[in-house]
PDB file of all heavy atoms in Angstrom:
ATOM      1  N   GLU A   1      17.922  -4.995  -1.347  1.00  0.00           N
ATOM      2  CA  GLU A   1      19.095  -5.629  -1.873  1.00  0.00           C
ATOM      3  C   GLU A   1      18.986  -5.560  -3.428  1.00  0.00           C
ATOM      4  O   GLU A   1      18.061  -4.966  -3.959  1.00  0.00           O
ATOM      5  CB  GLU A   1      19.162  -7.089  -1.386  1.00  0.00           C
ATOM      6  CG  GLU A   1      19.481  -7.194   0.073  1.00  0.00           C
ATOM      7  CD  GLU A   1      19.741  -8.644   0.488  1.00  0.00           C
ATOM      8  OE1 GLU A   1      20.746  -9.185  -0.044  1.00  0.00           O
ATOM      9  OE2 GLU A   1      19.068  -9.214   1.247  1.00  0.00           O
ATOM     10  N   GLY A   2      19.859  -6.248  -4.152  1.00  0.00           N
ATOM     11  CA  GLY A   2      19.945  -6.105  -5.504  1.00  0.00           C
ATOM     12  C   GLY A   2      19.049  -7.104  -6.303  1.00  0.00           C
ATOM     13  O   GLY A   2      19.448  -7.703  -7.290  1.00  0.00           O
ATOM     14  N   PHE A   3      17.795  -7.205  -5.916  1.00  0.00           N
ATOM     15  CA  PHE A   3      16.845  -8.042  -6.597  1.00  0.00           C
ATOM     16  C   PHE A   3      16.342  -7.310  -7.810  1.00  0.00           C
ATOM     17  O   PHE A   3      16.229  -6.048  -7.851  1.00  0.00           O
ATOM     18  CB  PHE A   3      15.687  -8.433  -5.702  1.00  0.00           C
ATOM     19  CG  PHE A   3      16.041  -9.335  -4.557  1.00  0.00           C
ATOM     20  CD1 PHE A   3      16.197  -8.848  -3.334  1.00  0.00           C
ATOM     21  CD2 PHE A   3      16.187 -10.715  -4.815  1.00  0.00           C
ATOM     22  CE1 PHE A   3      16.531  -9.648  -2.291  1.00  0.00           C
ATOM     23  CE2 PHE A   3      16.595 -11.559  -3.802  1.00  0.00           C
ATOM     24  CZ  PHE A   3      16.750 -11.055  -2.468  1.00  0.00           C
ATOM     25  N   ASP A   4      16.079  -8.048  -8.846  1.00  0.00           N
ATOM     26  CA  ASP A   4      15.459  -7.484 -10.101  1.00  0.00           C
ATOM     27  C   ASP A   4      13.949  -7.210  -9.863  1.00  0.00           C
ATOM     28  O   ASP A   4      13.399  -6.192 -10.355  1.00  0.00           O
ATOM     29  CB  ASP A   4      15.741  -8.317 -11.290  1.00  0.00           C
ATOM     30  CG  ASP A   4      17.228  -8.467 -11.581  1.00  0.00           C
ATOM     31  OD1 ASP A   4      17.758  -7.500 -12.056  1.00  0.00           O
ATOM     32  OD2 ASP A   4      17.724  -9.558 -11.277  1.00  0.00           O
ATOM     33  N   LEU A   5      13.368  -8.123  -9.190  1.00  0.00           N
ATOM     34  CA  LEU A   5      11.909  -8.043  -8.973  1.00  0.00           C
ATOM     35  C   LEU A   5      11.516  -8.660  -7.635  1.00  0.00           C
ATOM     36  O   LEU A   5      12.041  -9.685  -7.163  1.00  0.00           O
ATOM     37  CB  LEU A   5      11.147  -8.914 -10.043  1.00  0.00           C
ATOM     38  CG  LEU A   5       9.661  -9.057  -9.958  1.00  0.00           C
ATOM     39  CD1 LEU A   5       8.925  -7.688 -10.084  1.00  0.00           C
ATOM     40  CD2 LEU A   5       9.193 -10.005 -11.115  1.00  0.00           C
ATOM     41  N   VAL A   6      10.669  -7.945  -6.941  1.00  0.00           N
ATOM     42  CA  VAL A   6      10.102  -8.431  -5.612  1.00  0.00           C
ATOM     43  C   VAL A   6       8.556  -8.590  -5.763  1.00  0.00           C
ATOM     44  O   VAL A   6       7.924  -7.571  -6.236  1.00  0.00           O
ATOM     45  CB  VAL A   6      10.454  -7.482  -4.477  1.00  0.00           C
ATOM     46  CG1 VAL A   6       9.810  -7.929  -3.199  1.00  0.00           C
ATOM     47  CG2 VAL A   6      11.961  -7.365  -4.317  1.00  0.00           C
ATOM     48  N   LEU A   7       8.043  -9.713  -5.433  1.00  0.00           N
ATOM     49  CA  LEU A   7       6.588  -9.912  -5.533  1.00  0.00           C
ATOM     50  C   LEU A   7       6.017 -10.117  -4.148  1.00  0.00           C
ATOM     51  O   LEU A   7       6.450 -11.007  -3.346  1.00  0.00           O
ATOM     52  CB  LEU A   7       6.296 -11.160  -6.358  1.00  0.00           C
ATOM     53  CG  LEU A   7       6.763 -11.126  -7.790  1.00  0.00           C
ATOM     54  CD1 LEU A   7       6.480 -12.484  -8.538  1.00  0.00           C
ATOM     55  CD2 LEU A   7       6.144  -9.969  -8.599  1.00  0.00           C
ATOM     56  N   SER A   8       5.018  -9.194  -3.837  1.00  0.00           N
ATOM     57  CA  SER A   8       4.460  -9.218  -2.521  1.00  0.00           C
ATOM     58  C   SER A   8       2.955  -9.115  -2.502  1.00  0.00           C
ATOM     59  O   SER A   8       2.359  -8.968  -3.538  1.00  0.00           O
ATOM     60  CB  SER A   8       5.021  -7.927  -1.683  1.00  0.00           C
ATOM     61  OG  SER A   8       6.389  -8.063  -1.503  1.00  0.00           O
ATOM     62  N   GLY A   9       2.391  -9.252  -1.308  1.00  0.00           N
ATOM     63  CA  GLY A   9       0.933  -9.044  -1.171  1.00  0.00           C
ATOM     64  C   GLY A   9       0.682  -8.393   0.181  1.00  0.00           C
ATOM     65  O   GLY A   9       1.142  -7.240   0.424  1.00  0.00           O
ATOM     66  N   HIS A  10      -0.067  -8.994   1.031  1.00  0.00           N
ATOM     67  CA  HIS A  10      -0.339  -8.584   2.407  1.00  0.00           C
ATOM     68  C   HIS A  10      -1.233  -7.408   2.620  1.00  0.00           C
ATOM     69  O   HIS A  10      -2.115  -7.286   3.498  1.00  0.00           O
ATOM     70  CB  HIS A  10       0.983  -8.331   3.097  1.00  0.00           C
ATOM     71  CG  HIS A  10       0.897  -8.056   4.582  1.00  0.00           C
ATOM     72  ND1 HIS A  10       0.259  -8.984   5.479  1.00  0.00           N
ATOM     73  CD2 HIS A  10       1.327  -6.987   5.359  1.00  0.00           C
ATOM     74  CE1 HIS A  10       0.287  -8.404   6.637  1.00  0.00           C
ATOM     75  NE2 HIS A  10       0.935  -7.256   6.664  1.00  0.00           N
ATOM     76  N   THR A  11      -1.052  -6.361   1.769  1.00  0.00           N
ATOM     77  CA  THR A  11      -1.799  -5.135   1.956  1.00  0.00           C
ATOM     78  C   THR A  11      -3.289  -5.220   1.515  1.00  0.00           C
ATOM     79  O   THR A  11      -4.112  -4.399   1.887  1.00  0.00           O
ATOM     80  CB  THR A  11      -1.206  -3.978   1.153  1.00  0.00           C
ATOM     81  OG1 THR A  11      -1.266  -4.178  -0.218  1.00  0.00           O
ATOM     82  CG2 THR A  11       0.296  -3.859   1.509  1.00  0.00           C
ATOM     83  N   HIS A  12      -3.608  -6.188   0.617  1.00  0.00           N
ATOM     84  CA  HIS A  12      -4.881  -6.295  -0.027  1.00  0.00           C
ATOM     85  C   HIS A  12      -5.105  -5.024  -0.790  1.00  0.00           C
ATOM     86  O   HIS A  12      -6.312  -4.725  -1.108  1.00  0.00           O
ATOM     87  CB  HIS A  12      -6.053  -6.545   0.975  1.00  0.00           C
ATOM     88  CG  HIS A  12      -5.843  -7.655   1.899  1.00  0.00           C
ATOM     89  ND1 HIS A  12      -6.595  -7.946   2.985  1.00  0.00           N
ATOM     90  CD2 HIS A  12      -4.884  -8.711   1.898  1.00  0.00           C
ATOM     91  CE1 HIS A  12      -6.168  -9.051   3.578  1.00  0.00           C
ATOM     92  NE2 HIS A  12      -5.163  -9.530   2.873  1.00  0.00           N
ATOM     93  N   GLY A  13      -4.201  -4.278  -1.164  1.00  0.00           N
ATOM     94  CA  GLY A  13      -4.370  -3.011  -1.895  1.00  0.00           C
ATOM     95  C   GLY A  13      -5.117  -1.965  -1.017  1.00  0.00           C
ATOM     96  O   GLY A  13      -5.614  -1.002  -1.521  1.00  0.00           O
ATOM     97  N   GLY A  14      -5.144  -2.285   0.316  1.00  0.00           N
ATOM     98  CA  GLY A  14      -5.928  -1.403   1.209  1.00  0.00           C
ATOM     99  C   GLY A  14      -7.417  -1.821   1.336  1.00  0.00           C
ATOM    100  O   GLY A  14      -8.061  -1.260   2.251  1.00  0.00           O
ATOM    101  N   GLN A  15      -7.808  -2.682   0.432  1.00  0.00           N
ATOM    102  CA  GLN A  15      -9.245  -3.086   0.418  1.00  0.00           C
ATOM    103  C   GLN A  15     -10.153  -1.929   0.076  1.00  0.00           C
ATOM    104  O   GLN A  15     -10.970  -2.001  -0.859  1.00  0.00           O
ATOM    105  CB  GLN A  15      -9.710  -3.784   1.652  1.00  0.00           C
ATOM    106  CG  GLN A  15      -9.070  -5.161   1.906  1.00  0.00           C
ATOM    107  CD  GLN A  15      -9.612  -5.987   3.036  1.00  0.00           C
ATOM    108  OE1 GLN A  15      -8.903  -6.694   3.641  1.00  0.00           O
ATOM    109  NE2 GLN A  15     -10.925  -5.931   3.215  1.00  0.00           N
ATOM    110  N   VAL A  16     -10.055  -0.809   0.777  1.00  0.00           N
ATOM    111  CA  VAL A  16     -10.782   0.337   0.481  1.00  0.00           C
ATOM    112  C   VAL A  16      -9.848   1.408  -0.077  1.00  0.00           C
ATOM    113  O   VAL A  16      -8.918   1.813   0.574  1.00  0.00           O
ATOM    114  CB  VAL A  16     -11.538   0.962   1.671  1.00  0.00           C
ATOM    115  CG1 VAL A  16     -12.290   2.199   1.363  1.00  0.00           C
ATOM    116  CG2 VAL A  16     -12.499  -0.128   2.284  1.00  0.00           C
ATOM    117  N   ARG A  17     -10.132   1.867  -1.345  1.00  0.00           N
ATOM    118  CA  ARG A  17      -9.306   2.813  -1.996  1.00  0.00           C
ATOM    119  C   ARG A  17     -10.105   4.023  -2.477  1.00  0.00           C
ATOM    120  O   ARG A  17     -11.328   3.874  -2.704  1.00  0.00           O
ATOM    121  CB  ARG A  17      -8.648   2.134  -3.166  1.00  0.00           C
ATOM    122  CG  ARG A  17      -7.670   0.998  -2.775  1.00  0.00           C
ATOM    123  CD  ARG A  17      -6.987   0.408  -4.019  1.00  0.00           C
ATOM    124  NE  ARG A  17      -6.046   1.286  -4.713  1.00  0.00           N
ATOM    125  CZ  ARG A  17      -4.830   1.420  -4.362  1.00  0.00           C
ATOM    126  NH1 ARG A  17      -4.335   0.648  -3.335  1.00  0.00           N
ATOM    127  NH2 ARG A  17      -3.935   2.212  -4.970  1.00  0.00           N
ATOM    128  N   ILE A  18      -9.404   5.096  -2.673  1.00  0.00           N
ATOM    129  CA  ILE A  18     -10.000   6.291  -3.178  1.00  0.00           C
ATOM    130  C   ILE A  18      -9.318   6.608  -4.478  1.00  0.00           C
ATOM    131  O   ILE A  18      -8.127   6.594  -4.603  1.00  0.00           O
ATOM    132  CB  ILE A  18      -9.814   7.564  -2.270  1.00  0.00           C
ATOM    133  CG1 ILE A  18     -10.536   7.306  -0.930  1.00  0.00           C
ATOM    134  CG2 ILE A  18     -10.332   8.780  -2.944  1.00  0.00           C
ATOM    135  CD1 ILE A  18     -10.289   8.372   0.073  1.00  0.00           C
ATOM    136  N   PRO A  19     -10.104   6.767  -5.566  1.00  0.00           N
ATOM    137  CA  PRO A  19      -9.535   6.987  -6.886  1.00  0.00           C
ATOM    138  C   PRO A  19      -8.485   8.247  -6.789  1.00  0.00           C
ATOM    139  O   PRO A  19      -8.750   9.226  -6.105  1.00  0.00           O
ATOM    140  CB  PRO A  19     -10.714   7.426  -7.777  1.00  0.00           C
ATOM    141  CG  PRO A  19     -11.827   6.658  -7.160  1.00  0.00           C
ATOM    142  CD  PRO A  19     -11.603   6.706  -5.676  1.00  0.00           C
ATOM    143  N   TYR A  20      -7.318   8.019  -7.449  1.00  0.00           N
ATOM    144  CA  TYR A  20      -6.249   8.976  -7.490  1.00  0.00           C
ATOM    145  C   TYR A  20      -5.345   8.874  -6.199  1.00  0.00           C
ATOM    146  O   TYR A  20      -4.183   8.746  -6.242  1.00  0.00           O
ATOM    147  CB  TYR A  20      -6.660  10.396  -7.698  1.00  0.00           C
ATOM    148  CG  TYR A  20      -5.435  11.364  -7.779  1.00  0.00           C
ATOM    149  CD1 TYR A  20      -4.703  11.336  -8.949  1.00  0.00           C
ATOM    150  CD2 TYR A  20      -5.149  12.174  -6.692  1.00  0.00           C
ATOM    151  CE1 TYR A  20      -3.562  12.285  -9.028  1.00  0.00           C
ATOM    152  CE2 TYR A  20      -4.076  13.033  -6.785  1.00  0.00           C
ATOM    153  CZ  TYR A  20      -3.257  13.043  -7.899  1.00  0.00           C
ATOM    154  OH  TYR A  20      -2.219  13.928  -7.967  1.00  0.00           O
ATOM    155  N   PHE A  21      -6.031   8.895  -5.014  1.00  0.00           N
ATOM    156  CA  PHE A  21      -5.239   8.915  -3.755  1.00  0.00           C
ATOM    157  C   PHE A  21      -4.787   7.533  -3.330  1.00  0.00           C
ATOM    158  O   PHE A  21      -3.748   7.342  -2.682  1.00  0.00           O
ATOM    159  CB  PHE A  21      -6.126   9.474  -2.680  1.00  0.00           C
ATOM    160  CG  PHE A  21      -6.330  10.927  -2.782  1.00  0.00           C
ATOM    161  CD1 PHE A  21      -7.570  11.417  -3.292  1.00  0.00           C
ATOM    162  CD2 PHE A  21      -5.336  11.878  -2.439  1.00  0.00           C
ATOM    163  CE1 PHE A  21      -7.763  12.738  -3.413  1.00  0.00           C
ATOM    164  CE2 PHE A  21      -5.576  13.234  -2.595  1.00  0.00           C
ATOM    165  CZ  PHE A  21      -6.823  13.699  -3.142  1.00  0.00           C
ATOM    166  N   GLY A  22      -5.541   6.445  -3.811  1.00  0.00           N
ATOM    167  CA  GLY A  22      -5.125   5.099  -3.498  1.00  0.00           C
ATOM    168  C   GLY A  22      -5.600   4.608  -2.126  1.00  0.00           C
ATOM    169  O   GLY A  22      -6.682   5.012  -1.596  1.00  0.00           O
ATOM    170  N   GLN A  23      -4.761   3.731  -1.475  1.00  0.00           N
ATOM    171  CA  GLN A  23      -5.135   3.124  -0.204  1.00  0.00           C
ATOM    172  C   GLN A  23      -5.256   4.157   0.881  1.00  0.00           C
ATOM    173  O   GLN A  23      -4.491   5.016   1.016  1.00  0.00           O
ATOM    174  CB  GLN A  23      -4.013   2.088   0.167  1.00  0.00           C
ATOM    175  CG  GLN A  23      -4.253   1.438   1.493  1.00  0.00           C
ATOM    176  CD  GLN A  23      -3.164   0.397   1.802  1.00  0.00           C
ATOM    177  OE1 GLN A  23      -2.379   0.084   0.955  1.00  0.00           O
ATOM    178  NE2 GLN A  23      -3.123  -0.093   3.013  1.00  0.00           N
ATOM    179  N   ILE A  24      -6.312   4.040   1.691  1.00  0.00           N
ATOM    180  CA  ILE A  24      -6.625   5.050   2.780  1.00  0.00           C
ATOM    181  C   ILE A  24      -5.657   4.751   3.975  1.00  0.00           C
ATOM    182  O   ILE A  24      -5.043   5.731   4.435  1.00  0.00           O
ATOM    183  CB  ILE A  24      -8.062   4.952   3.179  1.00  0.00           C
ATOM    184  CG1 ILE A  24      -8.944   5.302   1.995  1.00  0.00           C
ATOM    185  CG2 ILE A  24      -8.287   5.878   4.345  1.00  0.00           C
ATOM    186  CD1 ILE A  24     -10.453   5.139   2.300  1.00  0.00           C
ATOM    187  N   VAL A  25      -5.594   3.578   4.485  1.00  0.00           N
ATOM    188  CA  VAL A  25      -4.831   3.315   5.661  1.00  0.00           C
ATOM    189  C   VAL A  25      -4.139   1.909   5.534  1.00  0.00           C
ATOM    190  O   VAL A  25      -4.764   0.945   4.995  1.00  0.00           O
ATOM    191  CB  VAL A  25      -5.689   3.338   6.977  1.00  0.00           C
ATOM    192  CG1 VAL A  25      -6.800   2.316   6.911  1.00  0.00           C
ATOM    193  CG2 VAL A  25      -4.865   3.261   8.163  1.00  0.00           C
ATOM    194  N   ASP A  26      -2.932   1.793   6.032  1.00  0.00           N
ATOM    195  CA  ASP A  26      -2.251   0.459   5.923  1.00  0.00           C
ATOM    196  C   ASP A  26      -2.382  -0.305   7.231  1.00  0.00           C
ATOM    197  O   ASP A  26      -3.050   0.072   8.143  1.00  0.00           O
ATOM    198  CB  ASP A  26      -0.777   0.660   5.521  1.00  0.00           C
ATOM    199  CG  ASP A  26       0.031   1.322   6.672  1.00  0.00           C
ATOM    200  OD1 ASP A  26      -0.447   1.512   7.794  1.00  0.00           O
ATOM    201  OD2 ASP A  26       1.237   1.533   6.427  1.00  0.00           O
ATOM    202  N   HIS A  27      -1.692  -1.506   7.322  1.00  0.00           N
ATOM    203  CA  HIS A  27      -1.797  -2.402   8.465  1.00  0.00           C
ATOM    204  C   HIS A  27      -1.269  -1.749   9.701  1.00  0.00           C
ATOM    205  O   HIS A  27      -1.639  -2.088  10.798  1.00  0.00           O
ATOM    206  CB  HIS A  27      -1.054  -3.697   8.192  1.00  0.00           C
ATOM    207  CG  HIS A  27      -1.845  -4.644   7.331  1.00  0.00           C
ATOM    208  ND1 HIS A  27      -2.076  -4.382   5.998  1.00  0.00           N
ATOM    209  CD2 HIS A  27      -2.354  -5.914   7.567  1.00  0.00           C
ATOM    210  CE1 HIS A  27      -2.784  -5.392   5.480  1.00  0.00           C
ATOM    211  NE2 HIS A  27      -2.856  -6.325   6.383  1.00  0.00           N
ATOM    212  N   GLY A  28      -0.371  -0.755   9.529  1.00  0.00           N
ATOM    213  CA  GLY A  28       0.221  -0.110  10.687  1.00  0.00           C
ATOM    214  C   GLY A  28      -0.526   1.139  11.043  1.00  0.00           C
ATOM    215  O   GLY A  28      -0.005   1.969  11.808  1.00  0.00           O
ATOM    216  N   MET A  29      -1.720   1.344  10.518  1.00  0.00           N
ATOM    217  CA  MET A  29      -2.604   2.501  10.748  1.00  0.00           C
ATOM    218  C   MET A  29      -1.903   3.778  10.315  1.00  0.00           C
ATOM    219  O   MET A  29      -2.093   4.806  10.913  1.00  0.00           O
ATOM    220  CB  MET A  29      -2.949   2.555  12.261  1.00  0.00           C
ATOM    221  CG  MET A  29      -3.776   1.400  12.723  1.00  0.00           C
ATOM    222  SD  MET A  29      -5.209   0.997  11.728  1.00  0.00           S
ATOM    223  CE  MET A  29      -6.267   2.418  12.114  1.00  0.00           C
ATOM    224  N   LYS A  30      -1.162   3.730   9.212  1.00  0.00           N
ATOM    225  CA  LYS A  30      -0.631   4.912   8.601  1.00  0.00           C
ATOM    226  C   LYS A  30      -1.503   5.324   7.453  1.00  0.00           C
ATOM    227  O   LYS A  30      -1.863   4.446   6.632  1.00  0.00           O
ATOM    228  CB  LYS A  30       0.758   4.646   8.134  1.00  0.00           C
ATOM    229  CG  LYS A  30       1.796   4.422   9.308  1.00  0.00           C
ATOM    230  CD  LYS A  30       3.230   4.214   8.652  1.00  0.00           C
ATOM    231  CE  LYS A  30       4.186   3.957   9.800  1.00  0.00           C
ATOM    232  NZ  LYS A  30       5.518   3.769   9.293  1.00  0.00           N
ATOM    233  N   PHE A  31      -1.877   6.526   7.334  1.00  0.00           N
ATOM    234  CA  PHE A  31      -2.782   6.973   6.237  1.00  0.00           C
ATOM    235  C   PHE A  31      -2.015   7.233   4.934  1.00  0.00           C
ATOM    236  O   PHE A  31      -0.873   7.709   4.946  1.00  0.00           O
ATOM    237  CB  PHE A  31      -3.502   8.266   6.687  1.00  0.00           C
ATOM    238  CG  PHE A  31      -4.564   8.043   7.745  1.00  0.00           C
ATOM    239  CD1 PHE A  31      -4.231   8.176   9.111  1.00  0.00           C
ATOM    240  CD2 PHE A  31      -5.817   7.593   7.371  1.00  0.00           C
ATOM    241  CE1 PHE A  31      -5.210   7.944  10.017  1.00  0.00           C
ATOM    242  CE2 PHE A  31      -6.817   7.378   8.337  1.00  0.00           C
ATOM    243  CZ  PHE A  31      -6.492   7.543   9.666  1.00  0.00           C
ATOM    244  N   PHE A  32      -2.662   6.749   3.814  1.00  0.00           N
ATOM    245  CA  PHE A  32      -2.197   7.011   2.521  1.00  0.00           C
ATOM    246  C   PHE A  32      -0.707   6.465   2.374  1.00  0.00           C
ATOM    247  O   PHE A  32       0.178   7.281   2.139  1.00  0.00           O
ATOM    248  CB  PHE A  32      -2.371   8.424   2.005  1.00  0.00           C
ATOM    249  CG  PHE A  32      -3.801   8.889   2.049  1.00  0.00           C
ATOM    250  CD1 PHE A  32      -4.200   9.776   3.007  1.00  0.00           C
ATOM    251  CD2 PHE A  32      -4.660   8.399   1.141  1.00  0.00           C
ATOM    252  CE1 PHE A  32      -5.509  10.220   3.084  1.00  0.00           C
ATOM    253  CE2 PHE A  32      -6.043   8.781   1.199  1.00  0.00           C
ATOM    254  CZ  PHE A  32      -6.432   9.685   2.172  1.00  0.00           C
ATOM    255  N   PRO A  33      -0.481   5.226   2.635  1.00  0.00           N
ATOM    256  CA  PRO A  33       0.913   4.710   2.550  1.00  0.00           C
ATOM    257  C   PRO A  33       1.480   4.792   1.149  1.00  0.00           C
ATOM    258  O   PRO A  33       0.703   4.764   0.168  1.00  0.00           O
ATOM    259  CB  PRO A  33       0.716   3.230   2.933  1.00  0.00           C
ATOM    260  CG  PRO A  33      -0.691   2.854   2.586  1.00  0.00           C
ATOM    261  CD  PRO A  33      -1.451   4.191   2.861  1.00  0.00           C
ATOM    262  N   LYS A  34       2.827   4.903   1.048  1.00  0.00           N
ATOM    263  CA  LYS A  34       3.475   5.068  -0.171  1.00  0.00           C
ATOM    264  C   LYS A  34       3.345   3.813  -1.088  1.00  0.00           C
ATOM    265  O   LYS A  34       3.238   3.885  -2.293  1.00  0.00           O
ATOM    266  CB  LYS A  34       4.895   5.429   0.080  1.00  0.00           C
ATOM    267  CG  LYS A  34       5.756   5.693  -1.214  1.00  0.00           C
ATOM    268  CD  LYS A  34       7.139   6.116  -0.824  1.00  0.00           C
ATOM    269  CE  LYS A  34       7.945   6.380  -2.140  1.00  0.00           C
ATOM    270  NZ  LYS A  34       9.334   6.851  -1.786  1.00  0.00           N
ATOM    271  N   TYR A  35       3.400   2.620  -0.432  1.00  0.00           N
ATOM    272  CA  TYR A  35       3.399   1.396  -1.118  1.00  0.00           C
ATOM    273  C   TYR A  35       2.151   0.562  -0.763  1.00  0.00           C
ATOM    274  O   TYR A  35       2.019   0.202   0.363  1.00  0.00           O
ATOM    275  CB  TYR A  35       4.696   0.549  -0.845  1.00  0.00           C
ATOM    276  CG  TYR A  35       5.936   1.268  -1.164  1.00  0.00           C
ATOM    277  CD1 TYR A  35       6.735   1.836  -0.205  1.00  0.00           C
ATOM    278  CD2 TYR A  35       6.350   1.392  -2.526  1.00  0.00           C
ATOM    279  CE1 TYR A  35       7.919   2.476  -0.477  1.00  0.00           C
ATOM    280  CE2 TYR A  35       7.560   2.094  -2.811  1.00  0.00           C
ATOM    281  CZ  TYR A  35       8.295   2.617  -1.822  1.00  0.00           C
ATOM    282  OH  TYR A  35       9.476   3.277  -2.099  1.00  0.00           O
ATOM    283  N   SER A  36       1.286   0.339  -1.654  1.00  0.00           N
ATOM    284  CA  SER A  36      -0.030  -0.366  -1.343  1.00  0.00           C
ATOM    285  C   SER A  36      -0.479  -1.283  -2.378  1.00  0.00           C
ATOM    286  O   SER A  36      -0.955  -2.444  -2.115  1.00  0.00           O
ATOM    287  CB  SER A  36      -1.110   0.671  -1.066  1.00  0.00           C
ATOM    288  OG  SER A  36      -1.350   1.433  -2.240  1.00  0.00           O
TER     289      SER A  36
END
């Protein structure tokens, strides 16, 4: 929707990240999610 800003959490940033690639797997077991 037309929000200016959305503030979220939940992902923990993936907890385990790889430099440059980012989060490895999300809560839905999808690898390298777009939003983390």
Side-chain angles (χ1 to χ4, degrees):
E1 293 190 64
F3 294 100
D4 298 286
L5 175 63
V6 177
L7 299 177
S8 295
H10 187 56
T11 67
H12 306 169
Q15 292 191 215
V16 177
R17 299 179 66 86
I18 297 176
Y20 181 75
F21 292 102
Q23 179 179 348
I24 296 174
V25 62
D26 70 5
H27 283 63
M29 298 307 292
K30 294 180 180 178
F31 287 94
F32 302 106
K34 183 176 181 180
Y35 303 103
S36 61

